[in-house]
Amino acid sequence: MKTPITVSVTGAAGQIGYALLFRIASGALFGPDQPVNLRLIEIEKALPALEGTVMELKDCAFPLLSEVVATADLDEGFKGANWALLVGSVPRGPGMERNDLLGINGKIFTGQGEAIARSAAEDIRVLVVGNPCNTNALIAMRNASGVPNDRFFAMTRLDENRAKAQLAEKAGVHSSDVTNLCIWGNHSSTQYPDFTTALINGQPVTDIITDREWLENTFIPDVQQRGAAIIKARGASSAASAENAAIDTVRSLVTPTPAGDWTSVAVCSDGSYGIPAGIIASMPIRTEDGKSWSVVQGVEVSAFSQEKISGSIAELQSEMDAVKDLLA
Ligand code: NAD
Ligand code: LMR
């Protein structure tokens, strides 16, 4: 039996948490022969509800689930964590932008960053899902003294999956036929789903979907606004698709990226593509060994793409400015 991997999940009693825990415990994150420990973190008042979820986890008798801990104590929750999935935070409601949540959610990530630095395992990796996820990840990273910056990620995989699904539907192919699709910038309505480099079965998307007007003026805004459209339709923000994207993100970071392709995840910029170093921005990422990752270099950035990317980076810089008091 392998040594269990410890996964800490914040917001474990929330709607994404509820979906996520059962998939992690069933092996969807690390495969069918890898045991996991779950350390579930909630605010005090949600602990009774979380206790119910713990009962259900036990009732599943998952062969891979070694240990479950539910707590409101951050050090206990992040103790020995190899992965921390930071989901816990308030979701937006109708008519809000995600960065309207900065004032409410930003401060959650200072204490969590500090506790991760104190209590997590040496090889900790952190995926921030709670919105606005790029800037929340920045806050956690900057407060996690001693944890390397390349261990922090913010989730834009849901946007990538949405973009692939929309291109596939338009082209009459399966979403798995769409590759090399990068979400650039912020997980917000300024994000840039870059159709210009994307491929369908190895062919440029623009050769297959020749309706440029649709690509520029329907596809891009639909991906940018998909979260808001779901909130309008469900009366609650995306949950199962967000949980699925969190699983996809981690799996993509722990398994080698298929040859020639990349995945979208927001990472701490090293200055690639003119994105200022130190901000958490989505870009094309590969991993060869499932441990370290690198920014894919040489992706063509047209003048059209550059303008869109720059707009989203400017928004990230203004979010960073708004939370400067939270950055250690
Ligand atoms: P939810 O309200 O159902 O659950 C959030 C949970 O977080 C609650 O149980 C709450 O008690 C808990 N929580 C709040 N503050 C906490 C803290 N300090 N520590 C630990 N737990 C805390 O919300 P949800 O639908 O699960 O969404 C969670 C977050 O994920 C929201 O911010 C949402 O906007 C975001 N989200 C991001 C993406 C993405 O693509 N990045 C996609 C969907 C949702
Ligand atoms: C999403 O993209 O579905 C989430 O970020 C939730 C939201 O606020 O849109």
Side-chain angles (χ1 to χ4, degrees):
M1 200 65 165
K2 292 180 173 175
T3 307
I5 292 177
T6 298
V7 185
S8 297
V9 181
T10 70
Q15 49 158 6
I16 295 174
Y18 187 75
L20 190 55
L21 304 180
F22 296 86
R23 285 196 69 202
I24 299 173
S26 67
L29 210 46
F30 301 115
D33 63 348
Q34 175 58 61
V36 288
N37 296 325
L38 282 173
R39 301 191 79 85
L40 312 180
I41 303 175
E42 260 296 350
I43 51 176
E44 290 282 351
K45 76 167 189 227
L47 285 179
L50 183 57
E51 208 38 61
T53 305
V54 170
M55 287 192 245
E56 285 198 76
L57 278 167
K58 289 181 179 166
D59 293 351
C60 291
F62 285 118
L64 293 173
L65 186 56
S66 294
E67 185 192 41
V68 189
V69 171
T71 182
D73 180 275
L74 293 180
D75 287 295
E76 192 188 2
F78 291 121
K79 187 174 165 196
N82 307 107
W83 273 93
L85 309 182
L86 306 188
V87 180
S89 52
V90 176
R92 67 174 164 158
M96 293 171 76
E97 286 296 332
R98 296 182 186 90
N99 60 14
D100 293 334
L101 298 167
L102 259 187
I104 314 170
N105 288 340
K107 54 186 177 294
I108 294 173
F109 294 84
T110 58
Q112 291 187 355
E114 289 165 4
I116 284 169
R118 280 193 304 269
S119 302
E122 189 98 328
D123 66 349
I124 179 69
R125 286 188 268 180
V126 180
L127 173 66
V128 179
V129 174
N131 279 321
C133 60
N134 296 56
T135 299
N136 289 338
L138 177 76
I139 296 168
M141 179 184 85
R142 291 280 292 268
N143 284 276
S145 169
V147 182
N149 289 353
D150 66 359
R151 306 289 185 77
F152 289 82
F153 307 91
M155 191 168 92
T156 53
R157 179 58 170 269
L158 179 53
D159 309 295
E160 179 187 320
N161 289 349
R162 288 167 171 167
K164 285 180 170 172
Q166 293 199 18
L167 291 174
E169 191 170 312
K170 180 76 174 172
V173 298
H174 192 268
S175 54
S176 59
D177 296 329
V178 185
T179 60
N180 301 78
L181 188 296
C182 181
I183 303 293
W184 294 90
N186 200 1
H187 173 62
S188 76
S189 55
T190 67
Q191 68 178 268
Y192 173 48
D194 187 356
F195 63 82
T196 69
T197 61
L199 304 174
I200 293 178
N201 291 319
Q203 298 277 106
V205 160
T206 47
D207 286 358
I208 291 167
I209 303 173
T210 52
D211 184 352
R212 182 89 188 188
E213 156 71 18
W214 180 85
L215 288 166
E216 289 187 17
N217 298 319
T218 300
F219 167 72
I220 292 177
D222 278 3
V223 176
Q224 291 171 329
Q225 296 295 338
R226 186 68 163 186
I230 288 167
I231 290 169
K232 189 161 174 244
R234 291 182 80 226
S237 70
S238 62
S241 57
E243 165 273 321
N244 180 65
I247 299 275
D248 283 351
T249 306
V250 175
R251 279 207 68 73
S252 289
L253 290 167
V254 299
T255 49
T257 311
D261 203 0
W262 54 70
T263 190
S264 305
V265 61
V267 295
C268 182
S269 176
D270 62 358
S272 294
Y273 297 100
I275 298 171
I279 65 168
I280 303 267
S282 185
M283 52 189 101
I285 299 299
R286 281 188 61 78
T287 175
E288 310 305 328
D289 60 3
K291 291 191 179 82
S292 59
W293 54 266
S294 59
V295 180
V296 179
Q297 301 297 326
V299 175
E300 193 181 332
V301 178
S302 64
F304 175 82
S305 298
Q306 187 59 61
E307 192 189 334
K308 302 278 183 204
I309 295 169
S310 299
S312 199
I313 298 306
E315 180 185 49
L316 280 170
Q317 288 177 301
S318 81
E319 286 185 17
M320 180 168 168
D321 195 46
V323 300
K324 58 180 182 300
D325 294 344
L326 301 178
L327 303 178

